[in-house]
Amino acid sequence: MYYIAVYDVGEKRVGKMLKIFRKYMHHIQNSVFEGEMTPASYQKLKYEADRFCNEEADSIIFFELNGKYMNKEIIGTEKRPASNFL
């Protein structure tokens, strides 16, 4: 499966998150990563990232792309939830 991941974490955790994500995905811009992963690799990445995530202050978002469909999963807080109102 193909994934895009972004994170917004506190300064003390940025370096650790960068190392974790680089093990599994391609680093394309600041806190943005992309790449193919197996379901097992995806679960490992989520587990490792969640260990260093401050659930109340940090945000990690995974976009799973499957053909023309996309699934979004959030670890931590959603900083600015999407709204259907204009």
Side-chain angles (χ1 to χ4, degrees):
M1 199 65 62
Y2 191 82
Y3 294 89
I4 296 173
V6 296
Y7 61 77
D8 183 9
V9 298
E11 280 185 54
K12 293 181 181 180
R13 293 177 293 285
V14 169
K16 290 183 189 264
M17 287 294 183
L18 180 62
K19 286 181 183 180
I20 291 168
F21 275 81
R22 279 188 173 166
K23 289 192 302 187
Y24 297 94
M25 303 177 83
H26 302 286
H27 187 206
I28 59 172
Q29 183 180 22
N30 291 340
S31 301
V32 181
F33 295 81
E34 69 178 353
E36 291 277 339
M37 285 191 288
T38 64
S41 294
Y42 178 58
Q43 292 302 321
K44 284 182 190 177
L45 172 56
K46 286 194 326 181
Y47 173 77
E48 288 184 41
D50 191 39
R51 288 181 51 215
F52 291 103
C53 181
N54 177 340
E55 297 280 331
E56 296 173 6
D58 298 341
S59 179
I60 303 170
I61 304 172
F62 292 97
F63 297 95
E64 177 185 333
L65 306 171
N66 185 8
K68 62 180 179 179
Y69 299 103
M70 180 184 72
N71 184 38
K72 178 179 171 183
E73 184 175 354
I74 300 169
I75 297 175
T77 62
E78 188 171 12
K79 303 277 178 147
R80 293 191 179 117
S83 172
N84 291 336
F85 297 103
L86 297 176

